[in-house]
Amino acid sequence: MISVLVAHINGHLGTKLGENSLVIFSGLGTIVHELSHAGMALLFGHKIDDMRLLQRPFVGDHAGRMGYVSHVWTPGNIYQQMGNFFIGIAPVFGISGAIALITEWLWPALFDLVDLRWDVFLTEPWWRIVIWVLLTVNLGLGMHLSRADWRGAWTGVMLYISLLIILASVLAIMGVDYILISQMLLVPIVLFFSIFIGTIGVLWLIVTVLF
């Protein structure tokens, strides 16, 4: 859903303000996007043979790509093959992590989800909130996963699901309350992404109305 919203916003901006405007509005997000791919590829033992963190998307043979990471792996290596799933979706976590760090730096009151009220806008000087919005929007617009990202993720998704099933079975046999553990791990993530999706949705409305 996030990727679809971001793709729609990027397409709208490109149509109304020119294709190269995407470099301005999502350049930082694109850099973090590609670094996330590269970092995860190295973590899973892939070899990076070419990388471009940021480029003008419609110049020469760039074919609309604002950046890319080309990597190779050993097809028979299960670890490397499963890594394709995490490499494909790495920008979602990389950009979310970057936004979390920026939030902690510029607007930490947003993390107080229990007592979050309208007066959260009074907790920081206006200029810090403006900087937070600009950086968050730029990063968020780099979260679009391309078809190549989804294809790469799909090659490892079945192995990942199999691993989760095996892990859940082992925990069940050991008598561990894996449901409680999963809730403890997933609830903060769900809350964070719910807020982020809401932010992207508002941004989409603003872009659609203004442009």
Side-chain angles (χ1 to χ4, degrees):
M1 182 177 179
I2 296 176
S3 183
V4 172
L5 284 173
V6 170
H8 183 83
I9 294 172
N10 284 337
H12 203 76
L13 287 173
T15 300
K16 298 297 183 179
L17 301 180
E19 296 163 343
N20 292 322
S21 65
L22 297 176
V23 176
I24 299 174
F25 287 102
S26 60
L28 179 60
T30 300
I31 292 173
V32 176
H33 180 119
E34 303 304 340
L35 285 175
S36 301
H37 282 315
M40 197 65 72
L42 294 175
L43 180 63
F44 280 91
H46 289 219
K47 178 183 177 182
I48 298 175
D49 51 19
D50 194 13
M51 178 171 65
R52 184 66 62 89
L53 295 181
L54 184 64
Q55 62 185 11
R56 295 172 62 188
F58 297 97
V59 175
D61 61 349
H62 294 172
R65 297 181 301 174
M66 293 183 61
Y68 63 88
V69 175
S70 176
H71 55 97
V72 295
W73 69 95
T74 304
N77 188 311
I78 296 178
Y79 177 71
Q80 291 184 6
Q81 185 177 351
M82 184 176 65
N84 285 323
F85 170 73
F86 295 97
I87 295 169
I89 65 173
V92 174
F93 299 102
I95 292 176
S96 296
I99 291 175
L101 289 175
I102 289 174
T103 302
E104 179 63 30
W105 172 42
L106 293 171
W107 204 356
L110 286 182
F111 283 122
D112 191 5
L113 298 177
V114 176
D115 298 322
L116 196 60
R117 300 188 302 270
W118 67 269
D119 56 354
V120 69
F121 294 98
L122 304 177
T123 59
E124 300 292 342
W126 66 268
W127 58 269
R128 291 174 69 93
I129 295 177
V130 170
I131 294 175
W132 179 86
V133 170
L134 293 175
L135 291 177
T136 299
V137 168
N138 202 298
L139 286 166
L141 291 180
M143 197 176 284
H144 170 53
L145 298 181
S146 66
R147 291 182 179 179
D149 294 340
W150 287 115
R151 284 198 302 269
W154 181 251
T155 61
V157 68
M158 296 309 298
L159 283 173
Y160 176 64
I161 292 175
S162 299
L163 178 63
L164 289 180
I165 293 174
I166 294 173
L167 180 60
S169 301
V170 171
L171 291 176
I173 293 173
M174 295 174 61
V176 177
D177 190 353
Y178 63 90
I179 296 179
L180 177 61
I181 295 175
S182 63
Q183 289 176 341
M184 292 174 60
L185 295 175
L186 290 177
V187 167
I189 297 175
V190 171
L191 286 174
F192 181 84
F193 277 105
S194 297
I195 294 174
F196 183 74
I197 290 173
T199 302
I200 293 295
V202 172
L203 176 61
W204 173 74
L205 289 174
I206 292 174
V207 169
T208 302
V209 172
L210 294 182
F211 302 103

